[in-house]
Amino acid sequence: MLHIDAWIEGVPPGAVYALVALIIGLESLGIPLPGEIALVSAALLSARGVVSPVWVAVCAILGAIIGDSIGYSIGRRGGKPLFEKLGRRFPKHFGPGHLATAERSFQKWGMWAVFFGRFIALLRIFAGPLAGALKMPYWKFLIANVFGGIVWAGGTTLLVYQVGKVAEQWLSKFSWIGLLVAAAGGALSAWLMKRRAAKNAQAHEAEDAAARDGAAAPTVTAPAAD
């Protein structure tokens, strides 16, 4: 399966903007898509001069605001039964635990949950529909939605663009150092993962052995008193 970042890199530059707006808009509407990955990938392309960072940010902001607003309307019409139905069909993304966590955030923070939810993967999917289902006043939702979309999409694009430009200049001068660091990092990560997997396997084997020993142990009953 083709990863979203590789897919965006294969898209013509003019279509990248529409693709970013579409993916982020659908994610904000309530469909679990990798909007953040799409935005970061497009911002990295802008650092390489393939697309404009300004248009990447503008399209991402519009997708976020419009998608959240549509999600709000759907949630206001469907209410909580909509989430219960989605939870049965997509338990991995809309299960009762996910819904309860998002609902607690809304009850505690109100419109700030919409703003900060833009930066959290779970709330980014739930923010619009859940705000509508909980009957949050639309003007409050819209303010948090607009400012959250601008700060998240614009800030992420600017940050990734600047980091990409600096990294590109640094690697162009010290490409062999970057290659060695990447290779060492990859080797270290692989070793740590292998070691952790071995420890987990040993722990599971010990638990299974203890369970088998407990099941095999004979039950001793005390003799009845005369």
Side-chain angles (χ1 to χ4, degrees):
M1 182 178 179
L2 193 63
H3 294 292
I4 189 69
D5 51 352
W7 185 32
I8 287 181
E9 287 191 15
V11 172
V16 171
Y17 308 125
L19 191 58
V20 168
L22 178 63
I23 294 175
I24 292 177
L26 290 176
E27 183 192 39
S28 302
L29 190 150
I31 299 175
L33 290 174
E36 196 165 41
I37 295 176
L39 178 57
V40 170
S41 300
L44 285 174
L45 286 180
S46 70
R48 289 159 47 187
V50 178
V51 292
S52 166
V54 174
W55 282 110
V56 169
V58 168
C59 292
I61 291 169
L62 290 176
I65 295 173
I66 295 172
D68 253 2
S69 296
I70 296 175
Y72 175 92
S73 300
I74 293 174
R76 195 168 183 88
R77 289 175 179 272
K80 287 189 177 181
L82 172 65
F83 288 97
E84 295 172 359
K85 185 183 296 185
L86 289 172
R88 289 192 294 269
R89 293 196 62 182
F90 308 102
K92 184 177 178 181
H93 298 285
F94 297 99
H98 298 92
L99 179 59
T101 300
E103 191 169 352
R104 282 195 300 270
S105 300
F106 270 77
Q107 291 171 349
K108 184 176 181 179
W109 302 105
M111 63 186 293
W112 288 107
V114 178
F115 178 85
F116 289 110
R118 177 56 58 185
F119 300 87
I120 304 171
L122 172 64
L123 289 180
R124 190 158 55 242
I125 298 173
F126 276 107
L130 190 57
L134 296 177
K135 302 296 188 290
M136 177 183 289
Y138 182 70
W139 68 268
K140 287 187 175 182
F141 169 79
L142 183 61
I143 292 173
N145 179 25
V146 170
F147 280 101
I150 291 173
V151 174
W152 174 73
T156 300
T157 302
L158 177 62
L159 178 62
V160 174
Y161 173 79
Q162 294 294 342
V163 171
K165 295 297 287 186
V166 171
E168 187 177 19
Q169 292 174 1
W170 189 85
L171 289 176
S172 65
K173 296 179 181 179
F174 305 101
S175 58
W176 62 273
I177 296 179
L179 181 61
L180 289 176
V181 170
L188 180 60
S189 299
W191 178 76
L192 290 174
M193 291 180 64
K194 186 176 181 180
R195 185 178 178 185
R196 186 171 183 179
K199 285 186 176 181
N200 290 337
Q202 289 177 358
H204 290 154
E205 288 177 1
E207 291 176 1
D208 293 341
R212 287 195 300 269
D213 292 343
T219 303
V220 179
T221 56
D226 293 334

